[in-house]
Amino acid sequence: MPGTSAQEAAVREVVADAGRCQSDPDRILPLHAPDVEIVKFGGRRVLGREALEAAMRAALASPMADVTTTVEITGFRFPRRGHGGPLPREGVAVVAAVKRARDARGVAAEGGPALPAASGQLTCLLVEEADGVWRVSLAQTTPTAF
């Protein structure tokens, strides 16, 4: 079910901001709920904003800093209340996207493994919190074959 144009714009902006800030923990972390849950390309699960910050800082201090991603929204919806009720559930959005990774590490020179996939289906759950700000509450990327 579609949300209002303001809701749709706010959700799109959070997803776009997350893409622009992917290498800047200080800017990207506030885009996520404190109890965020992230499941990465390789299946690693990160629970909570503090754990996300630690994972990001460790990755940015390693050769993984040369891995960048892009996200293309393919659709989103605002779930209905109950079982198909006529009104959208306020403050909840589900975003479907394609996530593509670019690995510029020079894997052969580093001797490390390449990414497990170059693209995946990204599903995000965004919530509008009490302060009126939309934040990512859950994000999972499922690798796709190519």
Side-chain angles (χ1 to χ4, degrees), residues 47-141:
L47 302 172
R49 197 187 287 164
E50 289 178 11
L52 178 58
E53 178 178 16
M56 286 187 68
R57 292 194 188 281
L60 291 169
S62 78
M64 286 294 293
D66 293 326
V67 176
T68 58
T69 61
T70 59
V71 173
E72 175 189 346
I73 294 176
T74 57
F76 57 89
R77 64 187 175 89
F78 295 85
R80 296 175 182 259
R81 286 184 211 194
H83 298 288
L87 300 174
R89 183 177 307 275
E90 291 186 28
V92 177
V94 178
V95 177
V98 174
K99 185 173 186 176
R100 292 181 180 86
R102 182 174 175 277
D103 190 345
R105 291 181 287 176
V107 174
E110 293 290 334
L115 289 175
S119 67
Q121 294 297 315
L122 172 63
T123 304
C124 297
L125 177 71
L126 281 81
V127 295
E128 185 177 22
E129 295 191 332
D131 60 3
V133 176
W134 286 86
R135 291 188 174 88
V136 176
S137 179
L138 172 71
Q140 178 167 347
T141 303

Side-chain angles (χ1 to χ4, degrees), residues 12-24 27-28 31-32 56 69 71 136:
R12 286 183 183 279
E13 187 64 25
V14 170
V15 174
D17 283 350
R20 287 189 289 265
C21 302
Q22 65 183 291
S23 296
D24 187 347
R27 289 181 54 212
I28 199 170
L31 300 174
H32 294 80
M56 286 187 68
T69 61
V71 173
V136 176

